[in-house]
Structures are given as structure tokens and as C-alpha cells.
């Protein structure tokens, strides 16, 4: 009488079929680009076809930004939504492209980063994460806000959650909501310590201090 150990399968053919089924049904990602339409000018600059945002996702992620920009009940003032609304106001539509399809999340993440840092890098790309040019622009803008030249050394500092909350004037739970919404990024220092970049904190502080007029056309 034949017996089976705990590691053996009663039917190898079924195992092979299930393995193929599992791989084929894994969530597949794509990387996409949002670009200015043809014959689009901004302050005299021809931006026709220039990519202004790179993203990755599944399903209808590529369309979600326009849905967010057109939401009248909760108007978003991020740069991406502002660009989309300016394009609409000019009577044109955002160009959307899928640059890479049917890949796993690690491959999509790696290609998205390459697009931001290399393939589509430029002054009109508004991605904040992994965008060295945007980071330098933010450092320059924040540097101009400091009163004394010696304060520039503080730009590369990291802050604890408590320090970040004190600068922003918010509770810790509110800070975590900003993190979850993607408004600020947290980093790990060592094994347990969570820190924030002073540049990111100062940028978020300015955003929170901005006063947005109510525009009935938006």
C-alpha cells in the first residue's frame, strides 16, 4: 500500500494547473503618463505632448485623476488637478498613455521610477516622489523662506513625529491622515524610529497655510 508524506501531492497535474491559475490571476499593473494636449500653450511656452505626470496602477487608475479634478463637492488643489482643470478651461483634453502593461507591482514600481528620474524628467513633470528636480526646486523655495543664511543647514534635517506635529500645529492623528493621503512621506531611521524630512514638513505647512478662494467655475 502506497502512502503519501505531508509534502507530497495526490495529483501533481492538479498542482501544476493551480500554480498556472494563481500566476495568471495575480493583480497586473500598468504604468501610465498624463500629457498636455497638442497646441497647448502656457505663458507662451508650447507644451504640446509634454508629459506632466507619471503613475502606476490597476483597473481604471489612469482615469481617477480627472475624476478627482472634476469633483465639485471636494475640490482638490494639488498641482496635478490644477493642471487638468487648466487644460479643460482651454477647451482641450488630457492625453493619456499606457507606457507598460501586464506586469507585476515590483516591475511597475521600478519602471515608474525610471520614467520619473530619467525618461520623462524635466521642469514640467510634477511628480514629487522620486523626482530629484522637484526636490531641488522645493529646497530652493524653502531656502528663500528662511531668515538667516545659516538656517539652510536645517533643510536636510529629519524630524521626529512630535517635531513635525509642532511645526505643522496638528495632532499626531492628523499627521497620520496626511501621510495616508500622500501629502507627506515618512521615513524609517534605524529599526524603530519614524522620521520626516524638514523639506516635506515645510512644504506641507505652506500648503496648509494657503487660503483658497471659492471659485464657482471649478
Amino acid at each position: 500500500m502506497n502512502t503519501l508524506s505531508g509534502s507530497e501531492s495526490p495529483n501533481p497535474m492538479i498542482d501544476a494547473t493551480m500554480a498556472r491559475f494563481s500566476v495568471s490571476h495575480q493583480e497586473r499593473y500598468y504604468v501610465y503618463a498624463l500629457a498636455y494636449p497638442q497646441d497647448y500653450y502656457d505663458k507662451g511656452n508650447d507644451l504640446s505632448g509634454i508629459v506632466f505626470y507619471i503613475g502606476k496602477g490597476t483597473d481604471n487608475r489612469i482615469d481617477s485623476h480627472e475624476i478627482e479634478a472634476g469633483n465639485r463637492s471636494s475640490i482638490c488643489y494639488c498641482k496635478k488637478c490644477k493642471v487638468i482643470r487648466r487644460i479643460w478651461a482651454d477647451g482641450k483634453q488630457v492625453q493619456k498613455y499606457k507606457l507598460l502593461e501586464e506586469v507585476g507591482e515590483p516591475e511597475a514600481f521600478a519602471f515608474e521610477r525610471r520614467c520619473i528620474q530619467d525618461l520623462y524628467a524635466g521642469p514640467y513633470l510634477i511628480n514629487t516622489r522620486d523626482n530629484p528636480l522637484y526636490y531641488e526646486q522645493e529646497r530652493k523655495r524653502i531656502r528663500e523662506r528662511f531668515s538667516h543664511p545659516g538656517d539652510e543647514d536645517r533643510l536636510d534635517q529629519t524630524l521626529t513625529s512630535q517635531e513635525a506635529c509642532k511645526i505643522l500645529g496638528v495632532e499626531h492623528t492628523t499627521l497620520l491622515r496626511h501621510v495616508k493621503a500622500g501629502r507627506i512621506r515618512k521615513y524609517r531611521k534605524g529599526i524603530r524610529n519614524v522620521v520626516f524630512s524638514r523639506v516635506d514638513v515645510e512644504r506641507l505647512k505652506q500648503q496648509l497655510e494657503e487660503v483658497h478662494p471659492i471659485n464657482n467655475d471649478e
Side-chain angles (χ1 to χ4, degrees):
M1 178 177 179
N2 295 327
T3 59
L4 295 173
S5 67
S7 60
E8 293 179 324
S9 170
N11 194 328
M13 292 297 296
I14 292 179
D15 278 358
T17 300
M18 291 302 295
R20 288 195 297 271
F21 179 85
S22 177
V23 171
S24 64
H25 283 72
Q26 287 179 355
E27 197 166 30
R28 310 305 286 171
Y29 283 76
Y30 59 86
V31 179
Y32 60 92
L34 305 184
Y36 290 99
Q38 295 301 313
D39 300 321
Y40 183 85
Y41 292 83
D42 181 52
K43 299 179 182 179
N45 298 315
D46 185 1
L47 305 184
S48 300
I50 292 179
V51 171
F52 64 85
Y53 185 79
I54 297 291
K56 68 173 174 62
T58 61
D59 300 326
N60 298 322
R61 175 61 178 170
I62 193 172
D63 300 317
S64 64
H65 308 293
E66 291 174 293
I67 295 174
E68 183 180 28
N71 187 347
R72 293 179 177 272
S73 62
S74 178
I75 298 177
C76 177
Y77 290 96
C78 73
K79 287 188 176 182
K80 180 171 67 271
C81 286
K82 287 181 178 179
V83 169
I84 293 173
R85 287 196 290 266
R86 285 202 303 268
I87 292 173
W88 289 346
D90 199 45
K92 300 181 182 298
Q93 296 297 318
V94 176
Q95 294 188 49
K96 297 179 287 188
Y97 308 100
K98 288 185 178 180
L99 306 172
L100 181 68
E101 298 184 66
E102 292 296 312
V103 295
E105 186 176 20
E107 293 84 356
F109 181 83
F111 187 69
E112 177 194 37
R113 186 173 186 178
R114 183 185 173 198
C115 287
I116 294 171
Q117 294 185 341
D118 182 21
L119 300 180
Y120 295 93
Y124 297 105
L125 191 67
I126 61 176
N127 288 80
T128 57
R129 189 179 66 185
D130 298 324
N131 188 343
L133 181 58
Y134 179 86
Y135 182 78
E136 286 303 315
Q137 291 173 339
E138 285 296 295
R139 291 184 86 255
K140 180 180 178 181
R141 180 186 61 76
I142 295 173
R143 185 184 295 114
E144 293 171 351
R145 297 184 62 199
F146 285 109
S147 302
H148 305 289
D151 286 344
E152 294 179 7
D153 295 337
R154 299 162 55 202
L155 287 173
D156 293 320
Q157 289 182 359
T158 56
L159 305 171
T160 65
S161 299
Q162 292 80 4
E163 291 170 335
C165 288
K166 184 175 180 180
I167 291 175
L168 296 172
V170 300
E171 298 292 333
H172 187 254
T173 53
T174 302
L175 176 61
L176 294 181
R177 284 200 295 269
H178 288 311
V179 171
K180 186 176 181 179
R183 301 186 187 100
I184 190 170
R185 190 176 183 182
K186 62 182 180 179
Y187 301 87
R188 187 168 297 282
K189 188 175 183 180
I191 299 177
R192 298 181 179 179
N193 296 327
V194 172
V195 297
F196 296 84
S197 164
R198 178 176 285 276
V199 171
D200 294 342
V201 173
E202 291 285 348
R203 173 178 54 81
L204 179 58
K205 179 181 179 181
Q206 184 180 37
Q207 292 176 350
L208 296 177
E209 290 174 347
E210 288 179 354
V211 177
H212 301 293
I214 297 176
N215 189 340
N216 292 329
D217 294 331
E218 292 192 79

